[in-house]
Amino acid sequence: MERFISRGDHVVVKPNIGWARAPELAANTNPDLVAEVIRSCLKAGAKVVKVFDRTCNDPRRCYNLSGIEESATSAGAEVRQIRRNMFTPIKLPEGKLLKEWEIYKEYLEADKIINIPIAKHHSLSRVSLGAKNLMGVMGGNRGSLHTDFDQKLIDICSEILPTLTIIDAYRILVRNGPTGGNPADVKIQKSLIASDCIVTADYLAMDLFSLPLHQVGHIQEMLNRSLNKYDLSRFNYMQIDLGS
Amino acid sequence: MVRLRRITQIVFLVFFIILFLKARYPYNNTLSSDLFLRFSPLIPIFDFIDNFSFSWLFWPAIVIIILTIFLGRFFCGWICPLGTVIDLSGKIIKSPSNTSSNKFDRLRYLKFAILIVAIILAFFSYNLWGYFDPLSIFNRVLTALIYPVGTLITENLLLYTSEISALEDPVYWLYDIFKEFIMPEKQAFVQQVFWITLLFVIILGLEKLSRRFWCRYLCPAGAWLGFLSQFRFYERIVGEVCPACDKCQVECKMNAIPEDDVAHTSKIECIECFNCGSLCPPKKSAITYRWRWKPYHTAVDVNRRQFITTSAASFITLGMLSIGLKDRKNKEKRIRPPGSLPEEDFLNTCIRCLQCVRICQSNGQCLQPDSIHDSVMELWAPVAHMREGYCEYTCNLCGLVCPTEAILTLSLKEKKKTPMGLAYFNKNLCLPFAQNVDCIVCEEHCPTPDKAIKFDLKDFILPDGSMKKVKYPYVVKELCIGCGICEYKCPVPGEPGIFVNTDNQRRLIKTDLA
């Protein structure tokens, strides 16, 4: 973590807290992982760590039932609900369909962003990973992003790329995503995928769902726009077995 | 005594408001938030008419009723929060004394008339009394007006001042307190707020004509308590030293002291505010209060003609309520909270206190006080407006706070399986059907573990002959619980591409829940 966080940084840790579901149902990021990431950020010298998400269900139920409010607060982060006056429009000069979108101010003002999505099935985007998780900092009418989803999502994402993406694949949701709710749809994978390049992380995580690239439009779109830091045909990644 | 009475009034008002504020997620109160609403002395009468039995659920009201037989209308003077607010309003807009408000005294029978009409209608299964129940009125105004307006002003004021950079930190500190204790949820928006407010403003405004105008002439709960206290044992005794200065008579809140006989009190009207004792010239102190085991009696001032006219009026009302058009198109839109009794029972049991609306505001915000479509009975009953909010899958709070059990208490497990309605696509608007583009936001949000909205992947041929795969959604009736998150989240502007109606709804009666 010291590689990414400098002393005195304002850090935003962005988990997925989108749904009013218990951690076991794999609809939200694992609260223990969130806490661990916050602790290592603070250890690395971060001044403040903020945690928030623009939820889909009732915000307080999501923060509460996901277990993230509790675990993140006890790990030393500032956990707050989204404030409706804190979205600022940003320009999207590279945007193909969108030229402007509202983004949460605290996200924009942070020195470092740690994006910690949970790996989930998603009917429209096929998988919900790093890029999809960034929808939690977007304002406006997010429903309208769902037509020509891949283009619009990447239009916005390309302007707000995180410092580090850690994909929580301890439990992954393989069916009925992104809400889940059935324990039978949860697969225990016990993995984490981390990269300072969101495209690389998402690309690697696609393997968990055995999906070919051409079926996952938004990751394909990121590659088409060369948002990747590394050449995906020949890059190094380490597979570390942490035992059981 | 007067000071003690004032403190008690404020304590009960604050207690009522605290219970109101506590009616929100996470609802883990030791005192249930509908407790105060069950103080309403009218509840047991109508519960008895409906079920021919007394429910222990309404023990607070039964305690009030028993005490009233001995003590008189102390509830009105000491406990009723609407009464307290009326007193405050009278102070502000300066109510006239009884010398000028005497002329309204022939209206006293009106409150009995309202009560009689309500009772006669109740025998024919139309319960309208909830509209006039003082506790219900007060809770309704808190839910629809006072709380939402208060939070709207406070939040905007705080957010506005937070933009002044010097004030940013202290203002956000205040804002966090506000968000923690006053409004952790979203700002509430309520339909029907104008009419609910109008009734309240009229009640307070009538103070300009006389003190406690509502309590003297209109309140059916006051009429019932007055009826019970005809023989009350606690009496005002006027001693020989009375200088007959008439101060107590002129200033009596309820005009309960007859002009021609200051030694007596109308037991039906007196609310035991003890103002008369404190107004009595100090050197004399002619007025004392004490128990007497042979009390005198005050007769209820409703004469035979008034009784007959009132009864006739209630039968006309009954006819009007019964012959209203029963429009199927309208009926299918009246989606009630999960666990509601069958529609007719529901409308007769619901007292329109809006406690369910209040607690829903802290979650999905789908419940709204209904407006009149076909029948007056629809007015202010809770109705789900899925386009403006949805029924939160993991929430069962409305059933926990219903004071009359018009909405039964469901466990979360039961609630998740009780359909409120069924979702239908409007394919003229739904984007995949109307424009052949992918969307399925409804499918994404559908909360049932096995999604009730599924989709079919079909080819669509573009004008240039090329093919495109599009996801066309559909509803699985057996899985849908009608929670309406699909309707709420549908990105089509205005009229949604998917909507919920009452089809497939499951209404419950108490015996369904073992």
Side-chain angles (χ1 to χ4, degrees):
Chain A
M1 198 54 84
E2 285 77 7
R3 265 175 62 199
F4 301 104
I5 308 283
S6 331
R7 195 149 286 281
D9 272 353
H10 284 245
V11 180
V12 162
V13 169
K14 164 66 182 74
N16 188 330
I17 329 179
W19 309 95
R21 296 274 200 221
E24 298 72 39
L25 295 169
N28 303 310
T29 307
N30 192 325
D32 297 333
L33 174 68
V34 179
E36 210 44 59
V37 170
I38 293 163
R39 272 189 220 108
S40 49
C41 288
L42 289 170
K43 215 174 124 198
K47 195 173 167 212
V48 203
V49 179
K50 290 181 177 171
V51 175
F52 52 82
D53 192 11
R54 184 171 172 213
T55 63
C56 293
N57 290 140
D58 173 51
R60 289 185 306 142
R61 274 179 193 275
C62 294
Y63 275 47
N64 211 338
L65 287 173
S66 67
I68 291 175
E69 183 166 39
E70 200 192 330
S71 74
T73 312
S74 61
E78 270 182 29
V79 185
R80 281 237 182 77
Q81 295 288 356
I82 293 289
R83 288 176 185 161
R84 63 179 166 81
N85 66 331
M86 296 268 277
F87 287 98
T88 25
I90 60 161
K91 292 269 176 286
L92 308 169
E94 308 285 312
K96 289 184 185 167
L97 295 171
L98 302 172
K99 290 294 169 200
E100 198 180 84
W101 201 264
E102 286 186 342
I103 301 294
Y104 202 59
K105 224 166 155 183
E106 291 193 333
Y107 184 90
L108 296 172
E109 286 168 355
D111 300 317
K112 302 286 158 58
I113 309 282
I114 317 277
N115 183 25
I116 36 175
I118 179 166
K120 285 195 286 185
H121 161 262
H122 191 285
S123 306
L124 182 67
S125 61
R126 302 309 302 273
V127 280
S128 171
L129 297 168
K132 185 77 179 66
N133 191 41
L134 293 182
M135 285 191 74
V137 301
M138 297 175 193
N141 174 1
R142 293 185 296 182
S144 71
L145 298 174
H146 288 67
T147 49
D148 294 313
F149 179 75
D150 303 331
Q151 305 264 349
K152 288 182 185 167
L153 179 72
I154 304 310
D155 276 356
I156 306 173
C157 281
S158 56
E159 294 298 320
I160 55 167
L161 293 176
T163 322
L164 179 65
T165 300
I166 304 173
I167 297 174
D168 168 22
Y170 183 84
R171 300 184 189 95
I172 66 172
L173 187 63
V174 290
R175 276 177 304 274
N176 281 317
T179 50
N182 186 353
D185 295 336
V186 178
K187 192 173 147 201
I188 306 279
Q189 192 75 33
K190 295 196 181 177
S191 312
L192 286 182
I193 296 159
S195 171
D196 59 346
C197 164
I198 192 170
V199 192
T200 311
D202 281 9
Y203 179 78
L204 288 171
M206 239 167 36
D207 265 359
L208 299 169
F209 300 87
S210 327
L211 282 169
L213 181 61
H214 68 87
Q215 284 194 16
V216 189
H218 70 279
I219 299 181
Q220 178 76 64
E221 184 67 29
M222 288 197 282
L223 286 168
N224 292 351
R225 298 195 195 182
S226 317
L227 291 177
N228 48 321
K229 284 190 191 170
Y230 310 107
D231 183 352
L232 293 189
S233 56
R234 44 182 193 86
F235 66 98
N236 293 322
Y237 64 94
M238 285 189 295
Q239 209 157 15
I240 313 167
D241 188 359
L242 299 169
S244 48
Chain B
M1 266 319 230
V2 173
R3 173 174 288 179
L4 181 66
R5 191 251 310 158
R6 283 197 185 128
I7 293 169
T8 316
Q9 277 186 296
I10 297 295
V11 165
F12 275 107
L13 180 66
V14 170
F15 179 53
F16 195 97
I17 292 171
I18 288 174
L19 282 183
F20 173 86
L21 285 175
K22 285 265 184 186
R24 64 152 58 100
Y25 173 80
Y27 184 70
N28 43 17
N29 307 350
T30 36
L31 278 180
S32 75
S33 271
D34 56 320
L35 177 71
F36 209 139
L37 291 161
R38 286 187 270 121
F39 269 72
S40 168
L42 290 172
I43 288 189
I45 314 181
F46 294 95
D47 179 42
F48 185 76
I49 294 174
D50 289 345
N51 307 313
F52 294 107
S53 66
F54 290 110
S55 162
W56 281 112
L57 189 66
F58 306 125
W59 66 266
I62 292 170
V63 170
I64 298 284
I65 287 173
I66 293 171
L67 287 176
T68 299
I69 296 172
F70 297 95
L71 281 170
R73 283 173 71 175
F74 74 101
F75 176 81
C76 311
W78 289 60
I79 297 176
C80 179
L82 186 64
T84 307
V85 175
I86 289 174
D87 277 346
L88 292 173
S89 143
K91 286 238 157 65
I92 293 164
I93 62 177
K94 297 211 168 53
S95 289
S97 72
N98 290 334
T99 25
S100 78
S101 61
N102 252 340
K103 55 181 177 288
F104 298 109
D105 270 2
R106 61 204 156 84
L107 299 179
R108 272 182 180 165
Y109 87 96
L110 266 182
K111 61 179 179 290
F112 292 102
I114 292 173
L115 182 64
I116 291 164
V117 172
I119 289 175
I120 292 176
L121 289 178
F123 273 109
F124 293 91
S125 288
Y126 285 102
N127 273 345
L128 287 168
W129 64 276
Y131 294 110
F132 305 102
D133 179 82
L135 299 180
S136 182
I137 290 174
F138 191 61
N139 204 56
R140 203 183 299 145
V141 173
L142 275 180
T143 306
L145 176 78
I146 299 173
Y147 179 74
V149 170
T151 54
L152 185 78
I153 293 174
T154 318
E155 186 177 27
N156 282 313
L157 199 70
L158 287 170
L159 291 181
Y160 184 73
T161 39
S162 76
E163 278 162 29
I164 306 165
S165 56
L167 293 175
E168 192 178 337
D169 285 337
V171 169
Y172 270 123
W173 180 76
L174 276 176
Y175 185 77
D176 284 340
I177 292 177
F178 168 74
K179 275 307 223 185
E180 171 93 31
F181 297 104
I182 310 294
M183 191 184 72
E185 54 268 349
K186 284 187 292 185
Q187 172 64 41
F189 296 96
V190 199
Q191 66 173 16
Q192 286 287 315
V193 52
F194 178 81
W195 301 108
I196 292 170
T197 308
L198 188 67
L199 178 64
F200 187 61
V201 168
I202 289 174
I203 290 174
L204 297 189
L206 286 172
E207 284 301 278
K208 199 72 197 167
L209 300 181
S210 95
R211 300 180 79 178
R212 290 263 190 163
F213 190 99
W214 165 262
C215 316
R216 285 186 192 184
Y217 309 121
L218 299 170
C219 179
W224 166 232
L225 292 177
F227 177 80
L228 288 171
S229 48
Q230 299 176 44
F231 292 101
R232 75 172 216 225
F233 296 92
Y234 194 64
E235 289 184 342
R236 184 179 69 105
I237 310 292
V238 181
E240 294 292 318
V241 287
C242 170
C245 65
D246 274 4
K247 258 192 187 157
C248 55
Q249 194 278 324
V250 171
E251 291 302 324
C252 176
K253 270 190 200 176
M254 296 298 287
N255 202 9
I257 303 170
E259 259 176 306
D260 46 3
D261 182 8
V262 282
H264 264 81
T265 311
S266 162
K267 292 186 174 175
I268 291 169
E269 302 300 328
C270 173
I271 56 169
E272 277 151 300
C273 66
F274 292 100
N275 276 357
C276 46
S278 72
L279 284 166
C280 199
K283 275 180 200 154
K284 311 278 189 212
S285 293
I287 298 176
T288 48
Y289 304 91
R290 65 165 193 246
W291 294 92
R292 278 219 315 206
W293 297 112
K294 279 185 191 160
Y296 60 85
H297 171 231
T298 313
V300 176
D301 37 3
V302 177
N303 60 37
R304 189 180 302 161
R305 203 163 82 196
Q306 285 164 340
F307 185 78
I308 292 170
T309 356
T310 312
S311 309
S314 29
F315 282 103
I316 294 168
T317 320
L318 185 65
M320 263 167 34
L321 288 171
S322 313
I323 58 159
L325 178 67
K326 305 209 170 2
D327 185 355
R328 277 180 293 167
K329 228 172 90 206
N330 162 40
K331 220 178 118 204
E332 81 185 16
K333 287 183 191 154
R334 316 258 77 74
I335 304 162
R336 305 297 179 198
S340 295
L341 300 174
E343 186 69 1
E344 261 183 41
D345 289 348
F346 176 74
L347 290 178
N348 292 332
T349 314
C350 170
I351 57 168
R352 282 50 162 186
C353 65
L354 303 192
Q355 186 79 341
C356 51
V357 174
R358 152 69 194 149
I359 206 154
C360 192
Q361 285 169 353
S362 75
N363 281 284
Q365 278 201 12
C366 73
L367 292 183
Q368 289 283 338
D370 204 354
S371 46
I372 298 176
H373 299 269
D374 291 336
S375 162
V376 184
M377 294 294 285
E378 291 164 347
L379 187 68
W380 302 338
V383 69
H385 264 237
M386 304 303 190
R387 194 60 172 146
E388 309 313 319
Y390 63 97
C391 183
E392 186 76 50
Y393 187 61
T394 48
C395 173
N396 60 346
L397 295 181
C398 51
L400 295 179
V401 296
C402 180
T404 55
E405 293 195 324
I407 311 168
L408 297 169
T409 304
L410 300 181
S411 69
L412 255 185
K413 211 173 135 205
E414 287 164 329
K415 186 264 173 175
K416 287 176 177 174
K417 286 184 178 151
T418 309
M420 304 164 73
L422 179 63
Y424 276 87
F425 278 101
N426 182 346
K427 293 192 179 179
N428 288 329
L429 295 173
C430 175
L431 298 174
F433 298 100
Q435 299 171 5
N436 293 297
V437 291
D438 273 339
C439 173
I440 59 167
V441 174
C442 48
E443 188 265 2
E444 174 177 344
H445 286 87
C446 183
T448 52
D450 187 3
K451 284 183 186 288
I453 298 175
K454 301 198 186 295
F455 60 88
D456 191 6
L457 196 61
K458 277 196 288 206
D459 287 326
F460 165 69
I461 302 164
L462 292 157
D464 64 3
S466 62
M467 301 258 262
K468 182 174 121 180
K469 293 233 181 268
V470 178
K471 289 159 183 156
Y472 295 95
Y474 62 93
V475 177
V476 183
K477 186 174 175 180
E478 289 69 30
L479 297 172
C480 178
I481 54 165
C483 75
I485 194 170
C486 48
E487 184 175 338
Y488 176 63
K489 301 274 181 181
C490 177
V492 175
E495 198 76 10
I498 183 166
F499 61 93
V500 178
N501 66 22
T502 56
D503 190 9
N504 206 35
Q505 66 172 337
R506 195 164 149 237
R507 292 303 190 80
L508 298 167
I509 52 172
K510 236 179 182 174
T511 46
D512 291 339
L513 306 169

